[in-house]
Amino acid sequence: CSINVRCARDVFENSFGQAGKIIDGSYLAEFLLEKGYEVHGIVRRSSSFNTGRIEHLYKNPQAHIEGNMKLHYGDLTDSTCLVKIINEVKPTEIYNLGAQSHVKISFDLAEYTADVDGVGTLRLLDAIKTCGLINSVKFYQASTSELFGKVQEIPQKETTPFYPRSPYGAAKLYAYWIVVNFREAYNLFAVNGILFNHESPRRGANFVTRKISRSVAKIHLGQLDCFSLGNLDAKRDWGHARDYVEAMWLMLQTDEPEDFVIATGEVHSVREFVEKSFKHIGKTIVWEGKNENEVGRCKETGKIHVTVNHKYYRPTEVDFLQGDCTKARQKLNWKPRVTFDELVREMVDADVELMKNNPNA
C-alpha cells in the first residue's frame, strides 16, 4: 500500500505502494488496512523519524511494533533494493506514490526530480519484470494534473493533450508514458491516476493550502500577524485526499487497466482559499493594491494579514486546472464526497488544535 511523505518513498501491500506524495500514503495505508490488506511500505533512511503520519497505524504506536503494516528501508533511486523488496514481499498490488512532489522546488532540484519521479517509476516497473511478477501484480501510478500545465482545453479529461510547465510535470509525463508502454508491451495491469489537487490536514507545511491553514490558525491564536504568498489568482480543482485514495484502489479493481482523471470539477483560486480560511475564524479579508503590492487586510481590525512575495512565484506558472472525472463516475462509480468549504474548515480546525498544543509545530 502506501506510506508517508518527504522521506517515505514507496509502499506496497501484499500490495506494494509508494508514498512520496506528502499525504496520500497515510490515507491509503488506512484504507487498505481497513479492507484487510497486509500493507508494506518503503521508507527512506533519515537521521530523524519520518513516519509521523502513520504512527497511529502501528500495532503498538509507542513502541513502533508492526502489525499488518510493515516497513522496509529503500529508495526509488536504488533499483537493487526495489528488486530485493519486491522479490521478498511478492505484492499483488503496487501503489507508486513516490515523488519529489513540490512543483516550485522542482525548478531548483530538477535533476533529482527527474531521477525520482521519472526514472524511479521505470526502476519500479523493471523490478516487477525482473521478479517475474508481470502477470500477478496490479500497478497504480500517481500521475498528476500538472501534466496538463498550459491547458489545451477546459476542463481537462483523459484525452486532453499534455503540456507540462515544470520539471515536476515533465518528469511525471515520462512516468505516465512508461506506464502506458509497460502496459502495452508486456500486458502488465498498470494504470495512471491523473489526480487533481487534493489536500488534507496532513499536507506538508510548505504547500500553499497548508501554509494558509497553519498561518490562519496562528493568527487566530495570536501567534502570528502576517504571512506571504505567491500567485493569489492561480485556480485549482481542490478535493480531499481521503476521497482520492479510494479512487486509486477502485482503479485496480477493474477488469481492464485504464487511466482515469480524478477531480471535483470545481475551480477555486488561492485567493478564495485565503478568504474562506479567514472567514472560518470570523475575519473578513479585503484586498488592496495590485500585483506584488497587493495585501489582504482584516476588515474588522484593519490589520494586514497577507502580503505577496514574488519569490513564491514559479518561473512558468500554471494558471488554471479543472478536471472532468466523467469517466471515473461512470466506470468506477466514484465521486468526491468532501466539498471545498468542508476541506477548508477541516484544515483550519486541525491547525488551530495543533497550534494550541504546540505553537512551534
Side-chain angles (χ1 to χ4, degrees):
C1 149
S2 156
I3 228 99
N4 189 9
V5 1
R6 259 184 326 223
C7 294
R9 201 91 330 131
D10 274 333
V11 195
F12 2 116
E13 80 72 358
N14 246 5
S15 138
F16 172 57
Q18 176 174 318
K21 282 279 204 178
I22 297 297
I23 54 178
D24 297 356
S26 61
Y27 285 112
L28 183 56
E30 288 175 354
F31 181 86
L32 293 173
L33 288 169
E34 287 174 2
K35 288 190 172 294
Y37 281 69
E38 180 177 291
V39 174
H40 291 253
I42 294 182
V43 251
R44 188 175 56 175
R45 172 69 178 92
S46 172
S47 60
S48 58
F49 286 112
N50 53 39
T51 57
R53 292 181 180 84
I54 57 165
E55 284 180 354
H56 63 292
L57 299 178
Y58 286 99
K59 183 178 181 180
N60 184 329
Q62 285 72 39
H64 281 199
I65 294 175
E66 297 173 332
N68 284 334
M69 180 186 69
K70 305 177 190 303
L71 302 182
H72 308 260
Y73 283 115
D75 199 293
L76 276 180
T77 62
D78 185 342
S79 56
T80 302
C81 83
L82 296 177
V83 170
K84 178 177 178 290
I85 296 169
I86 291 178
N87 190 56
E88 175 188 337
V89 175
K90 290 186 169 51
T92 55
E93 296 178 2
I94 297 180
Y95 297 84
N96 178 28
L97 313 184
Q100 187 301 103
S101 58
H102 197 291
V103 178
K104 174 67 165 63
I105 291 174
S106 77
F107 286 93
D108 300 318
L109 300 176
E111 181 181 342
Y112 175 74
T113 301
D115 191 18
V116 173
D117 300 14
V119 181
T121 302
L122 173 61
R123 293 188 186 103
L124 200 45
L125 292 167
D126 264 336
I128 294 170
K129 183 166 168 279
T130 299
C131 293
L133 299 179
I134 285 286
N135 296 321
S136 59
V137 166
K138 291 186 175 182
F139 180 87
Y140 171 84
Q141 167 64 18
S143 282
T144 169
S145 57
E146 290 288 331
L147 294 176
F148 298 117
K150 187 175 181 180
V151 298
Q152 303 298 293
E153 67 175 340
I154 297 173
Q156 297 87 56
K157 52 185 180 290
E158 291 81 4
T159 56
T160 302
F162 298 132
Y163 196 138
R165 298 265 284 173
S166 65
Y168 170 76
K172 281 289 191 175
L173 183 59
Y174 174 84
Y176 172 92
W177 282 116
I178 201 64
V179 167
V180 172
N181 181 251
F182 265 69
R183 183 168 68 209
E184 296 177 351
Y186 304 111
N187 203 31
L188 173 67
F189 191 112
V191 303
N192 285 290
I194 307 173
L195 273 56
F196 280 64
N197 292 66
H198 45 288
E199 314 294 325
S200 87
R202 300 178 190 176
R203 172 56 96 181
N206 61 344
F207 285 75
V208 66
T209 52
R210 186 74 194 288
K211 182 177 182 180
I212 294 168
S213 65
R214 284 169 56 90
S215 299
V216 169
K218 283 179 174 286
I219 289 171
H220 178 61
L221 297 172
Q223 300 169 1
L224 183 72
D225 290 324
C226 184
F227 64 99
S228 297
L229 295 171
N231 183 5
L232 295 171
D233 294 314
K235 294 179 174 63
R236 294 292 185 270
D237 185 325
W238 272 304
H240 197 295
R242 193 186 302 112
D243 288 342
Y244 285 40
V245 298
E246 179 187 15
M248 298 177 189
W249 178 78
L250 287 170
M251 289 180 214
L252 295 194
Q253 312 316 308
T254 59
D255 294 330
E256 297 294 331
E258 295 184 72
D259 304 325
F260 289 90
V261 161
I262 302 298
T264 69
E266 294 184 10
V267 175
H268 302 274
S269 65
V270 173
R271 185 188 303 275
E272 187 177 352
F273 202 105
V274 171
E275 292 168 354
K276 287 186 178 293
S277 297
F278 274 105
K279 183 178 180 181
H280 187 52
I281 62 166
K283 291 180 178 288
T284 305
I285 292 297
V286 178
W287 302 99
E288 302 173 358
K290 291 183 178 181
N291 301 323
E292 291 181 39
N293 295 317
E294 187 171 12
V295 298
R297 188 185 300 274
C298 176
K299 182 179 179 181
E300 290 76 18
T301 65
K303 292 183 178 179
I304 292 177
H305 289 317
V306 186
T307 60
V308 174
N309 190 323
H310 193 266
K311 76 176 183 179
Y312 296 122
Y313 280 70
R314 302 175 186 178
T316 43
E317 190 61 68
V318 174
D319 296 313
F320 186 96
L321 291 173
Q322 180 182 17
D324 179 355
C325 67
T326 300
K327 181 180 176 182
R329 287 177 181 268
Q330 293 175 348
K331 293 196 173 186
L332 302 178
N333 196 29
W334 177 89
K335 63 179 180 180
R337 297 185 181 91
V338 181
T339 67
F340 177 74
D341 286 3
E342 290 169 342
L343 171 65
V344 173
R345 290 196 297 267
E346 181 182 338
M347 292 183 68
V348 172
D349 286 342
D351 276 326
V352 168
E353 289 303 309
L354 175 66
M355 300 308 166
K356 279 181 181 178
N357 297 323
N358 183 7
N360 296 318

